[in-house]
Amino acid sequence: YASYSDIYEPQPEINEDLRPLGPAEGKSYEAGIKAELLEQRLLASLAVFSARQDNYAEAAGFDEATGQSYYTGIDVESEGFELELSGAVTDNWMLQTGFTSLDLKDPHSNDDVRTYIPRETFNLGTRYVVTALPGLQMGATVKWDDDVHQDADNGVIRSDAHAVVSAFASYTFMERYEVRVNGFNLTDEKYLASLYWDQAFYAPPANWSVTFSVRL
């Protein structure tokens, strides 16, 4: 398959003069191929993409007099590829995985832009239904992000590459009741949640939750 689209994205941000920044405009291209595997149980896909966006809002500072953040419009050229695999390996084992590689450049200077966005990401999710005990299913996810950084007034903020592992188990009984256990960041990975702003906060440490639900 192949696709082309024009980009017109209204933006509510204001510039340093406290005037509307205006819309981001550009063009986007994508081409790819898909295939069914294991007797149509799994769907595999490969996509390559390229886009050019002009006047894309980028945080530029904070006006203490008005208490408002202001932005500047930058031009961004992006290109990359994405691999995905999803479906049922067996009747009771489901799988979804993907890898994305991305490049973001200023088309005029060829410098990296939006460096707070990971250039490479990988995710793997799986779910297994236990046939020996009807109603029980278990699953896990792994999400890996490449290292990122953001230039700030007081230096450069960096976040190393990291992987976050989560898991769940649920048991449904008497058709109406469900007990579910969720675990997030099981390896207690210490990482910054986002570098979009000049400040960043650590993501939650390892944590668990248990829920009980009833269908009426």
Side-chain angles (χ1 to χ4, degrees):
Y1 71 90
S3 68
Y4 162 82
S5 61
D6 287 323
I7 299 172
Y8 183 88
E9 184 179 345
Q11 301 181 118
E13 288 83 2
I14 58 176
N15 60 21
E16 190 174 4
D17 299 324
L18 306 183
R19 297 180 181 275
L21 192 61
E25 299 184 65
K27 302 180 185 299
S28 174
Y29 307 86
E30 183 174 333
I33 186 171
K34 297 182 179 182
E36 292 178 327
L37 308 173
L38 298 180
E39 299 180 345
Q40 301 182 339
R41 289 179 178 274
L42 290 177
L43 175 64
S45 66
L46 167 64
V48 293
F49 53 85
S50 176
R52 164 72 183 260
Q53 290 175 284
D54 296 335
N55 196 41
Y56 205 91
E58 185 85 346
F62 181 77
D63 190 323
E64 295 183 358
T66 62
Q68 290 181 294
S69 297
Y70 58 87
Y71 299 77
T72 186
I74 65 171
D75 298 338
V76 180
E77 228 171 37
S78 62
E79 60 181 24
F81 68 90
E82 184 176 57
L83 289 165
E84 288 189 344
L85 181 68
S86 62
V89 181
T90 67
D91 288 341
N92 31 353
W93 180 22
M94 277 60 74
L95 179 72
Q96 181 173 6
T97 185
F99 174 78
T100 301
S101 178
L102 175 66
D103 192 27
L104 296 170
K105 299 283 189 182
D106 181 327
H108 310 295
S109 65
N110 206 38
D111 292 336
D112 289 334
V113 296
R114 313 199 82 194
T115 55
Y116 52 83
I117 296 177
R119 276 9 187 199
E120 294 184 342
T121 60
F122 170 78
N123 65 81
L124 172 64
T126 184
R127 179 168 60 92
Y128 185 78
V129 178
V130 182
T131 53
L133 183 58
L136 176 64
Q137 58 179 323
M138 300 175 292
T141 62
V142 178
K143 187 176 186 301
W144 177 85
D145 288 339
D146 197 5
D147 61 285
V148 294
H149 70 273
Q150 173 72 294
D151 295 329
D153 293 338
N154 57 350
V156 179
I157 307 173
R158 297 186 180 276
S159 181
D160 294 334
H162 60 274
V164 179
V165 181
S166 301
F168 82 92
S170 69
Y171 179 58
T172 302
F173 56 98
M174 297 176 63
E175 298 182 355
R176 297 177 54 192
Y177 307 99
E178 182 188 62
V179 178
R180 185 180 181 94
V181 180
N182 288 287
F184 176 75
N185 192 10
L186 299 183
T187 59
D188 203 23
E189 184 75 21
K190 188 176 182 180
Y191 65 100
L192 297 173
S194 173
L195 296 185
Y196 179 75
W197 305 103
D198 286 351
Q199 62 180 2
F201 298 95
Y202 285 110
N207 61 90
W208 295 83
S209 68
V210 179
T211 58
F212 175 76
S213 59
V214 180
R215 296 193 194 96
L216 300 178

